[in-house]
Amino acid sequence: MSIAGKTNSSRLHADLLAWYDRNRRTFPWRAPAGSRPDPYRVWLSEIMLQQTATAAAGPYFERFVAHFPDVFALAAAEQDEVLRLWAGLGYYARARNLHACAQRLVAEFGGRFPQTQAALRSLPGIGTYTAAALAAIAFDRPAAPVDGNWERVLARLFDLHEPLPQAKPGLRALGEGLVPPRRAGDFAQAMMDLGATVCTPARPRCLLCPLQAHCRARAAGTADGLPRKAPRKEKPQSYGAAFYALSHAGHLLLRRRPQQGLLGGMMELPGTPWRAEPWQEAEALAFAPGPAAWEKLPGQVSHVFTHFRLSLVLWRAADLDRQAGWTGAAAASWVSLARVGGEALPSVMIKAIRHAQRTDGHAVP
Ligand code: SF4
């Protein structure tokens, strides 16, 4: 499917790029107009923005580049420090892959990013989308980083009614067919900005749109309902119990999760595995990290992961003696409450600790 031949594509490119030159958004990771982007900052921002809104990612990005100003600094860091700076962004495999990717770049590429999509895809954590974004934005290569904004604009431009996610390959092919031979990086960012500010999910602002003359959905009056989406499946529910163990000197027992799998390498309260059935009290207490007068706290902590919802029941014991009988707490250590805020804690565990502290009177710094 072509939008209407070469002439109109050229017109579309010119219309969109002229709009971008006047309306481009400013982000801490975006190079000023006319200057060459730093591939390190482009890469970092694209990884952060995969699951995080631009407004939320900004402060994390600033903090991250202040600590790790280039790929060499990131490669040389301890993984724990990387995870700590990532804590709160979620999807921690991204942070581990980021670190591994920096180390590969230093070891095998002299600290420079390769420029082709194929070579970029061979690096940890860089898939089809990120390779295209880097190729286009950092190196101005003709590539189509088709994200949600691109998908919405493309579905409307071509009046495509196939629902997502089945429509994704077709939309990507349409996007690839639309990339201009020059200014591919600006075009990529223009599509993102247009989708975020004009061709919005609800009530697209077609009267302000530089593409209105090219847009089939606008002509057909179907833009509001596009892109169509297949009904979402309900996320399955999981259950767990966690133990908030506080020593009399104000130390909290934390343990490190295994490197592989969900929240790999992050810190957590000791607890049960997470499973599809709720835990009976006696079953849960068999996972307590040591002998104590465990008190079950009222309420629960709810957290939504990509593929499931978690409901966590908390047990609390305080005034504990750190020396006695805590051998069951594998890979665990006592962390002073004053230092807990500096640990690589995922959001679900920050919620759990705060929930326990509402009954405790100690606050995590
Ligand atoms: Fe989106 Fe409207 Fe522009 Fe079409 S004319 S691309 S529907 S904002």
Side-chain angles (χ1 to χ4, degrees), residues 153 156-157 194 198-199 204-206 209 211-212 215 217-218 223:
V153 174
R156 289 168 173 173
L157 263 181
L194 188 78
V198 176
C199 195
R205 302 157 76 198
C206 300
C209 181
L211 301 186
Q212 54 179 286
C215 182
R218 171 165 160 77

